[in-house]
Amino acid sequence: MATRQMRKLQKQQELLRLQNEADREDDESEDEPIVSKPKPNAFAGFAALGGGDEDGDDQDTEEETKEAEDVPEPVAPAKKSKKSKKKKKKKGGKKTESPAAEKEEEDDLDEIDRVLEELNLKGNKNSVSDMATSNTAKSTSQINELLRVNFQHLKAINEMRKLFGSAIEAARAEQAAEANSRQQQRGAARQNVDLETFLSVPPAVQQQLGKRSMFETVLRTNPFIEGKKTWPRDSTRGLKMVRVTESCEGEPGVAEFAFAHDKTYDALEGNFYGLVQMYDPMQLVYFLSRYPYHVSSLIQVSKVAHQDQNSYLAHDLIERALFTFGRVSLSDFRKRLGDGTARLDFNRPENRQFFLAGYNQIKNLVLKGTYRTALEWAKFVLSVNHDDPYGVLNWIHVLAIRAYEAKWFIELCSSPLIANLGTGRYVKATLPLAKLQLKDNAGARAAAIESIEELPWLFCALFSALNIDTPRSVWGVQPRDDEEALHTKLYVHLAKDIWNNPAAISLLTEAANAARKVDFFGLPPSPVVSLATARFVYLDNTPELMSAVPRKILHTASPNFDFDPLPPPKEDNIFSSPTQKMPWSISEGDGQHRQTRLHEQAQAALQMARARMNEDQLRAVVDDARARIDDPEADEEQRGVWRRIVDVLTGQGWTGGAGGVAEGGEGNQRGDVMPGGWGDDFDEEWGDDDFDGEDHWYEDQLDPELELEFGPGGTPNRRATVEDAEDSDEEETARR
């Protein structure tokens, strides 16, 4: 064996012996103090060994020196265990780690994996959230772009000029001259005036008004409505607009605004609520003549004029209400309307007056045939509240076809606004007509087939309404429930006329013959009738549609006034003053007042009947009433009613019963109209102390002797004549 190999073997044996001795010493005394010893050369004894080549010896000597430097020092007893383990590992080479170490290492790896997974999941969630926010912003931006308002299209006169040219200006001048002449003749003859004349400015005052450039500018520069010289010159009495938020939640770049009332206007609102409870339209008329830009009064008196079949005055008062809103609108609000980024909250009572005026404006413009202007107002109302609280989308699809805005309507149908709407498929039923208008016959046919297969009951009703033979694919298909029946009737009521032309009928028939007959019970369920749809039907006032609205929505609404029909529940409202809660207070806690009013009306009717009876008739009625009182089968409530009738007919007044008071007693005072209301009767001077500083210069020009004419039923009548007021006694009795 070579010398080099022998030395390596001896070195290994010596190392093994030293390790064994160290282990034994460690077992005997682990607590001995640590003593540092000089470093011995463990391989110094090998120097005596000789033999072999000189070169080999020299090389071996160098290796020994190097290896001796690598040999560890003797270990102190306190640290023997740890270093011994290390030496054993070196001796045995690379060995498998212990199970505890492996488990600890695996736990560390698992912990790292969990952290990485959590970071990955968090990143994914953030990515999904960012993607959803981005999609929402994109959808909102698309809708805003479609609902941008063009102020030039809000004014009907611009569309009429486009349709009729200079002839419209001549017609307006002729109409104004005729109205001025009529007013002058009535004033000269000291005759009674109609409601329209009473609420407008006399011709002499109009001439003075024209010289006042300030208000003339206000009339011409209003963003919503072009003012008229016949409208009185007055302030808005405290109506204003405020910015609520710089941005709306979930709608980046969108700002919310609100109309607001100061203390002066709030007082007028409270007085108005009291006048409504008097059930006397003339009180409202006098109130409006005193405060000509009070919005609630304008809307309510417009309803009175509509019931009197005076559509011109009804439209004029609605335009004046929107003119008032335009006067107080902020410049930022108008700017954002052009971008589609302005919002109004329907839960604020002040804002609901604007929505109601806008709805009535659309309805009036449709009657006038100015469909492009009506479509722009529908976009306006929808733009400021995408929830569509008055259901104007029921009009938009019809107005878009009539106004030849087919391209815009197709884009609207592909927007999230229609896709996320429950009644969106009913709106899309008009899509074939839009494509037909753009000469896309193939697209129109495909859209018609799709709509027929999706809404077969709707097209079955449409074929019936158009008086054409119903194809087999939709024959006999009826709505599955009351909700579908209402939506079907509403669509046919509004859209029947736009389908009633040869091209549309041909398209409809061809598509129905090509459509397959589907199992309509497998189609998506019908959308629930919303409060917005109920408001639309209620204001449309079509009996067939009214009967189809669920009773729980239409007949149990409280309060429900013409100036705020079917409002949201009280808890959803955002009230800015206690005055705005008065309609709910009237409906919830004023049952005693309503009972008193019914008693007063019954007493008045009995007194009128008594005045028309002769003595024999009166005696017969009283005897019959007393017999009913003595009837043993009558209950006490019935006897009480007949006793009151006998008291009135015999001149003893209204006595007895809940809320009943003697004739002429305090129960007849108007101070009982509102809880905590007025103490005195209403007169036309009421409220002046609050507005002494306001300018009423035009009122000095009014004729104090002018009186209003009345039509049948006691309402002011625009078309009543002097001859109507001079009827014979027989005609008067017959009319009553």
Side-chain angles (χ1 to χ4, degrees):
M1 185 179 292
T3 303
R4 184 178 178 185
Q5 295 176 350
M6 287 288 294
R7 289 176 178 175
K8 285 185 178 181
L9 180 60
Q10 292 174 356
K11 182 172 61 176
Q12 291 175 358
Q13 292 175 351
E14 182 67 15
L15 285 174
L16 180 60
R17 182 181 62 80
L18 290 174
Q19 288 177 357
N20 293 333
E21 291 177 357
D23 291 339
R24 285 195 299 269
E25 291 176 1
D26 183 59
D27 295 335
E28 293 174 357
S29 59
E30 294 181 353
D31 298 333
E32 291 182 6
I34 301 174
V35 179
S36 299
K37 295 182 179 181
K39 296 172 63 176
N41 191 344
F43 301 97
F46 289 102
L49 296 175
D53 299 323
E54 288 184 359
D55 295 338
D57 292 339
D58 294 338
Q59 185 177 0
D60 293 342
T61 303
E62 292 176 2
E63 290 180 359
E64 290 172 4
T65 305
K66 185 176 179 181
E67 292 174 353
E69 293 175 357
D70 295 336
V71 173
E73 299 176 6
V75 183
K79 300 182 180 179
K80 285 180 180 178
S81 177
K82 183 176 181 182
K83 293 197 174 182
S84 297
K85 292 178 181 179
K86 291 183 178 179
K87 291 175 183 176
K88 290 177 181 179
K89 290 179 183 178
K90 289 182 179 179
K91 177 182 177 182
K94 291 184 180 180
K95 295 183 179 180
T96 306
E97 296 180 350
S98 65
E102 292 179 355
K103 183 177 181 182
E104 183 179 355
E105 185 177 354
E106 290 176 359
D107 292 342
D108 293 340
L109 292 174
D110 292 342
E111 185 68 21
I112 293 173
D113 291 339
R114 281 196 296 270
V115 172
L116 291 175
E117 288 177 1
E118 289 178 1
L119 291 174
N120 189 26
L121 289 174
K122 185 175 181 181
N124 291 338
K125 289 180 180 178
N126 292 336
S127 177
V128 172
S129 177
D130 293 342
M131 185 179 298
T133 303
S134 176
N135 292 337
T136 301
K138 185 177 179 180
S139 301
T140 302
S141 177
Q142 181 184 0
I143 298 173
N144 293 342
E145 184 69 22
L146 288 169
L147 298 179
R148 297 173 60 183
V149 177
N150 187 333
F151 291 98
Q152 292 298 319
H153 291 306
L154 289 179
K155 300 178 180 179
I157 187 63
N158 294 334
E159 183 176 3
M160 296 177 72
R161 286 175 181 148
K162 184 177 180 180
L163 292 174
F164 304 107
S166 59
I168 188 62
E169 298 295 342
R172 294 182 69 192
E174 182 179 354
Q175 182 181 9
E178 182 181 352
N180 291 340
S181 176
R182 184 173 64 252
Q183 290 183 1
Q184 291 174 356
Q185 291 175 2
R186 288 180 179 273
R190 299 294 184 191
Q191 295 177 349
N192 293 341
V193 298
D194 54 26
L195 182 59
E196 183 179 336
T197 304
F198 184 75
L199 294 176
S200 61
V201 178
V205 180
Q206 293 180 30
Q207 296 178 2
Q208 297 182 23
L209 184 62
K211 299 175 183 178
R212 299 200 174 195
S213 59
M214 180 65 70
F215 196 71
E216 181 72 14
T217 303
V218 172
L219 292 174
R220 288 186 291 101
T221 59
N222 191 281
F224 300 163
I225 296 292
E226 184 175 353
K228 301 178 181 179
K229 293 183 178 180
T230 57
W231 292 349
R233 180 185 183 274
D234 197 10
S235 68
T236 58
R237 302 287 182 167
L239 180 67
K240 58 185 178 181
M241 173 174 270
V242 295
R243 183 185 291 105
V244 179
T245 59
E246 292 293 340
S247 61
C248 295
E249 184 178 356
E251 294 182 304
V254 173
E256 181 185 346
F257 298 83
F259 293 101
H261 303 160
D262 66 5
K263 292 182 178 180
T264 300
Y265 199 95
D266 195 53
L268 289 179
E269 284 287 286
N271 295 332
F272 168 77
Y273 294 146
L275 292 174
V276 169
Q277 289 303 297
M278 287 185 177
Y279 305 100
D280 184 0
M282 283 312 304
Q283 296 288 359
L284 291 172
V285 171
Y286 284 119
F287 183 78
L288 180 59
S289 68
R290 196 69 175 171
Y291 309 108
Y293 292 100
H294 181 252
V295 175
S296 297
S297 299
L298 288 166
I299 295 174
Q300 190 72 30
V301 177
S302 172
K303 184 73 173 178
V304 173
H306 179 74
Q307 291 174 347
D308 194 44
Q309 299 182 354
N310 190 344
S311 57
Y312 175 82
L313 179 60
H315 189 190
D316 183 80
L317 295 176
I318 292 297
E319 285 187 330
R320 196 194 296 185
L322 292 170
F323 174 82
T324 305
F325 285 121
R327 291 176 66 179
V328 303
S329 61
L330 297 176
S331 58
D332 188 33
F333 177 72
R334 298 193 293 268
K335 179 181 178 181
R336 287 181 175 274
L337 282 177
D339 299 331
T341 57
R343 298 290 184 270
L344 294 173
D345 193 340
F346 187 75
N347 288 330
R348 296 181 181 273
E350 306 96 322
N351 292 345
R352 288 204 292 272
Q353 296 175 347
F354 171 80
F355 285 101
L356 180 57
Y359 175 95
N360 284 290
Q361 174 73 350
I362 298 170
K363 189 174 181 179
N364 293 329
L365 291 170
V366 170
L367 293 175
K368 290 176 64 175
T370 49
Y371 301 115
R372 183 64 185 86
T373 308
L375 176 62
E376 200 68 22
W377 273 102
K379 290 167 59 178
F380 188 176
V381 174
L382 191 57
S383 171
V384 295
N385 195 310
H386 292 176
D387 294 336
D388 192 18
Y390 273 101
V392 296
L393 275 172
N394 293 300
W395 261 327
I396 276 185
H397 61 103
V398 177
L399 296 175
I401 300 301
R402 290 192 177 277
Y404 294 93
E405 291 290 325
K407 183 178 180 181
W408 174 86
F409 178 67
I410 293 174
E411 294 177 358
L412 180 69
C413 288
S414 60
S415 71
L417 181 66
I418 302 299
N420 299 332
L421 188 69
T423 57
R425 48 183 177 164
Y426 288 90
V427 176
K428 289 183 178 180
T430 311
L431 194 59
L433 293 179
K435 294 187 176 183
L436 186 64
Q437 203 171 79
L438 295 177
K439 310 300 182 183
D440 183 9
N441 295 329
R445 184 176 183 274
I449 293 174
E450 181 181 356
S451 295
I452 290 172
E453 292 179 352
E454 188 175 9
L455 299 169
W457 54 84
L458 172 66
F459 286 91
C460 178
L462 186 60
F463 274 104
S464 178
L466 295 174
N467 292 323
I468 55 179
D469 294 336
T470 305
R472 179 177 298 179
S473 60
V474 295
W475 186 86
V477 180
Q478 298 298 319
R480 295 172 293 181
D481 50 39
D482 294 339
E483 284 78 8
E484 285 182 351
L486 174 59
H487 289 115
T488 299
K489 291 179 180 178
L490 182 58
Y491 181 89
V492 173
H493 171 69
L494 295 172
K496 177 183 67 174
D497 292 338
I498 61 176
W499 285 94
N500 194 12
N501 60 80
I505 291 176
S506 176
L507 169 67
L508 194 61
T509 304
E510 181 184 354
N513 288 327
R516 58 188 177 86
K517 191 174 182 65
V518 298
D519 180 14
F520 61 92
F521 286 104
L523 295 174
S526 59
V528 178
V529 176
S530 64
L531 193 57
T533 302
R535 290 191 192 101
F536 184 93
V537 173
Y538 177 80
L539 293 173
D540 187 73
N541 200 27
T542 301
E544 183 182 3
L545 297 177
M546 293 273 282
S547 62
V549 177
R551 183 178 180 83
K552 63 180 180 180
I553 296 179
L554 195 59
H555 299 287
T556 60
S558 180
N560 186 20
F561 296 103
D562 288 335
F563 58 84
D564 191 10
L566 301 176
K570 184 178 180 180
E571 58 273 13
D572 294 343
N573 282 263
I574 304 175
F575 298 113
S576 58
S577 72
T579 304
Q580 295 173 353
K581 300 180 183 179
M582 291 179 70
W584 280 266
S585 300
I586 295 169
S587 299
E588 295 172 359
D590 199 23
Q592 182 69 27
H593 163 66
R594 290 195 295 272
Q595 187 72 12
T596 301
R597 292 291 302 173
L598 290 173
H599 290 166
E600 291 177 355
Q601 294 172 0
Q603 180 181 2
L606 287 171
Q607 289 175 345
M608 184 180 297
R610 178 188 175 190
R612 297 176 182 174
M613 296 180 186
N614 56 36
E615 186 175 352
D616 294 336
Q617 292 174 333
L618 181 60
R619 185 180 296 108
V621 172
V622 171
D623 291 341
D624 182 67
R626 287 173 175 167
R628 293 177 182 272
I629 294 173
D630 297 333
D631 187 357
E633 296 182 359
D635 56 30
E636 190 59 33
E637 183 178 358
Q638 293 174 339
R639 290 193 181 98
V641 172
W642 286 108
R643 287 193 189 98
R644 293 170 192 145
I645 293 175
V646 171
D647 291 341
V648 173
L649 295 179
T650 56
Q652 298 178 19
W654 189 275
T655 59
V661 293
E663 183 177 2
E666 293 184 357
N668 292 329
Q669 292 183 1
R670 288 171 181 161
D672 294 336
V673 169
M674 292 292 285
W678 313 327
D680 298 321
D681 289 349
F682 174 84
D683 58 38
E684 60 185 55
E685 296 299 326
W686 165 74
D688 280 352
D689 294 339
D690 296 331
F691 312 106
D692 288 338
E694 298 294 339
D695 184 8
H696 293 286
W697 63 271
Y698 65 88
E699 293 178 355
D700 297 335
Q701 307 296 328
L702 293 175
D703 192 334
E705 298 185 12
L706 293 181
E707 297 292 343
L708 286 173
E709 296 174 353
F710 295 90
T715 57
N717 191 347
R718 173 173 174 263
R719 296 180 175 82
T721 63
V722 177
E723 290 76 9
D724 293 335
E726 298 176 354
D727 291 338
S728 63
D729 294 341
E730 292 77 12
E731 293 173 337
E732 180 69 19
T733 301
R735 184 163 62 247
R736 288 183 178 178

